[in-house]
């Protein structure tokens, strides 16, 4: 039986799923990858660990010998940076997408090219490497995306995804990325693959030695994918105007297409021209830390999500008196402040981990509302459908908190944690010629959905939202002042001159 394979390389795991040509998931596998937090704002991982997890996941998912994989495609976190030789040898830990060490470099880039470049994005991270890890920079042939390196390991071809370069490297249509040719004497462009492939374009076939290791045919096509959230947008069928895709995971990503978006709104990312579909712009917003905030509370308390969900359900719907600002790793939308800090208000000795967890549920949902409102405003189109996916959907309280915060019905696929995999499978099927185009693949492989409605009365949550906005404004200056004082104190402590 012919089938296609979707791959989703997330922050903390690599997942694969095999789909038949009717969109049914035949098999699924997931393997974890460990993240490292060496200092404040830094997040790292191992490229080799991602590739080993990828191989194990593919082997597990493709163990049925009656299935013939005709094509595969990979979605991965964007701006997750690797430093590599031309033969794929890794010279440094992966700098993860959520890493915010390159704030200064993003400011330098903006001052030089006159365009926004987030510290999360690849150019700022690459410039940071050139300035702070010069020996690694000098010996690396490629300082580029984890997705580029993974596709090289699969095919032996160095290429970039148009989805990634459009959305994270200030690439517009046929304009060259040589906009970054000289930033303070550093040529970023020379460290990126020369070739750019659109989503759905064939990169090549599996390397024979790797195909044998994975028990796949050496004729298996590798089709260009892109950013994981954009693969979820495709899997959700949100490639037409009027639909909005929300991916809930470690972070939250909101995506909507538009024919005529607002330009120059710095509270959102983009609009980006044709990262996925011809003739369509994509507007992006989101939260750097959302599900990771819930994970953080679990880690502090030593309790699982399931335990805390049970405890929260025994509380009153909004009992906690705890107001949280969820910017534990900065703010992406609407404030675009990589140095924003989190905060918790109203703590008393009677509060438990469940109260904190409930406060985080509401805070992250209200933060998503702020981002979604900005995205919808920028599309200049009425949004009639919101579809949510990602592992966070499996948390029923978190999903309901989002519906309540938005006061909008949310459509949820029956297998929400696999929607990015389905999107990658759709891309693989279109690239292999199983369907005539990507929209055709989306129509033929569409997922099934159910609807989560907002609570009838969420007026208290709306009032909390207004207080939360005031809280962010009032604490922003305090957080920055505290950071300046502590940096000065650390300098005085360690300065031996």
């Amino acid at each position: 039986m012919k089938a296609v394979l979707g791959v989703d390389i997330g922050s903390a795991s690599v997942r694969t799923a095999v789909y038949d040509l009717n969109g049914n998931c035949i098999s699924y596998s997931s393997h974890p990858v460990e993240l490292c937090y060496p200092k404040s704002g830094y997040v790292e991982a191992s490229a080799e660990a991602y590739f080993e997890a990828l191989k194990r996941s593919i082997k597990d998912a493709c163990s049925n010998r009656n299935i013939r994989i005709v094509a595969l495609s990979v979605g991965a976190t964007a701006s997750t940076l690797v430093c590599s030789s031309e033969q794929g040898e890794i010279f440094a830990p992966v700098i993860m997408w959520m890493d915010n060490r390159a704030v200064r470099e993003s400011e330098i880039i903006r001052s030089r090219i006159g365009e926004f470049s987030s510290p999360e994005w690849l150019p700022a991270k690459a410039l940071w490497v050139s300035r702070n890890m010069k020996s690694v920079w000098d010996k690396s042939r490629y300082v580029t995306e984890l997705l580029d390196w993974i596709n090289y390991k699969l095919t032996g071809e160095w290429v970039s995804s148009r989805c990634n370069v459009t959305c994270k490297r200030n690439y517009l249509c046929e304009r060259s990325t040589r906009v970054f040719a000289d930033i303070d004497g550093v040529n970023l462009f020379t460290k990126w693959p020369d070739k750019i492939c659109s989503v759905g374009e064939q990169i090549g076939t599996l390397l024979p030695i790797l195909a044998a290791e994975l028990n796949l045919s050496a004729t298996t096509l590798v089709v260009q994918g892109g950013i994981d959230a954009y693969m979820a947008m495709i899997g959700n069928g949100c490639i037409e105007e009027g639909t909005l895709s929300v991916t809930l995971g470690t972070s939250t990503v909101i995506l909507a297409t538009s024919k005529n978006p607002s330009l120059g709104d710095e509270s959102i990312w983009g609009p980006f021209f044709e990262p996925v579909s011809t003739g369509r712009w994509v507007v992006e917003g989101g939260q750097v830390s959302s599900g990771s905030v819930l994970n953080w509370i679990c880690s502090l308390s030593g309790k699982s999500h399931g335990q805390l969900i049970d405890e929260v359900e025994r509380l009153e719907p909004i009992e906690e008196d705890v107001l949280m600002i969820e910017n534990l790793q900065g703010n992406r939308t609407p404030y675009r402040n990589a140095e924003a800090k989190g905060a918790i208000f109203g703590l008393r000795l009677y509060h438990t981990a469940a109260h904190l967890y409930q406060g985080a549920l509401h805070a992250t949902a209200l933060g998503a509302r702020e981002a979604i409102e900005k995205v919808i405003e920028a599309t200049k189109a009425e949004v009639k459908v919101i579809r949510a996916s990602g592992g966070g959907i499996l948390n029923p309280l978190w999903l309901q908190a989002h519906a309540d915060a938005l006061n909008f019905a949310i459509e949820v696929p029956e297998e929400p944690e696999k929607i990015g995999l389905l999107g990658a499978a759709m891309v693989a099927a279109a690239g292999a010629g199983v369907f005539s185009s990507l929209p055709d693949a989306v129509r033929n492989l569409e997922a099934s959905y159910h609807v989560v409605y907002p609570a009838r009365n969420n007026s208290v949550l709306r009032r909390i939202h207004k207080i939360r906005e005031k809280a962010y404004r009032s604490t922003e200056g305090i957080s920055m002042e505290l950071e300046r004082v502590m940096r000065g104190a650390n300098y005085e402590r360690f300065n031996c001159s």
Side-chain angles (χ1 to χ4, degrees), residues 65-245:
R65 296 301 181 89
N66 295 321
I67 298 170
R68 182 167 73 86
I69 304 297
V70 296
L72 68 86
S73 185
V74 180
T77 56
S79 300
T80 293
L81 179 144
V82 297
C83 300
S84 167
S85 71
E86 190 158 8
Q87 293 73 39
E89 179 185 2
I90 296 295
F91 297 130
V94 168
I95 300 178
M96 295 298 295
W97 63 270
M98 66 183 82
D99 186 292
N100 271 321
R101 71 183 71 182
V103 172
R104 176 57 183 153
E105 285 69 26
S106 71
E107 294 169 350
I108 291 172
I109 289 173
R110 178 166 186 165
S111 69
R112 300 298 186 272
I113 71 171
E115 295 182 15
F116 172 77
S117 183
S118 169
E120 292 180 44
W121 292 2
L122 191 73
K125 286 184 168 71
L127 184 59
W128 185 93
V129 171
S130 75
R131 291 157 59 91
N132 295 276
M133 300 170 64
K134 191 174 186 307
S135 62
V136 171
W137 175 267
D138 287 343
K139 66 183 178 181
S140 296
R141 171 61 186 89
Y142 293 104
V143 180
T144 189
E145 298 270 1
L146 176 63
L147 175 62
D148 301 345
W149 182 78
I150 290 291
N151 280 330
Y152 168 79
K153 296 288 284 184
L154 293 173
T155 66
E157 300 289 336
W158 281 104
V159 298
S160 289
S161 170
R162 178 162 176 162
C163 179
N164 292 62
V165 301
T166 299
C167 300
K168 310 302 177 190
R169 298 191 215 170
N170 300 71
Y171 177 91
L172 178 60
C173 198
E174 300 307 319
R175 187 186 69 183
S176 170
T177 50
R178 293 183 189 276
V179 66
F180 292 114
D182 185 14
I183 303 292
D184 285 3
V186 177
N187 192 329
L188 302 181
F189 185 82
T190 62
K191 298 292 186 177
W192 299 338
D194 292 328
K195 185 177 181 181
I196 297 172
C197 290
S198 297
V199 171
E201 186 175 345
Q202 294 181 11
I203 298 173
T205 55
L206 284 178
L207 292 169
I209 190 170
L210 179 63
E213 181 181 353
L214 299 177
N215 297 317
L216 296 177
S217 169
T219 63
T220 303
L221 289 170
V222 178
V223 177
Q224 183 64 281
I227 302 168
D228 52 357
Y230 283 69
M231 296 300 101
M233 178 179 70
I234 294 169
N236 263 329
C238 294
I239 60 175
E240 298 295 334
E241 196 171 57
T243 59
L244 187 143
S245 175

Side-chain angles (χ1 to χ4, degrees), residues 352-368:
T352 66
H355 291 99
L356 294 181
Y357 195 83
Q358 187 183 56
L361 292 171
H362 295 148
T364 52
L366 290 170

Side-chain angles (χ1 to χ4, degrees), residues 248-249 252 290-291 294 360-361 364-365 392-393 395-403:
L248 296 179
T252 295
S290 55
L294 303 178
L361 292 171
T364 52
I393 300 300
N395 183 329
L397 297 187
W398 204 30
L399 177 58
Q400 186 63 55
H402 279 78

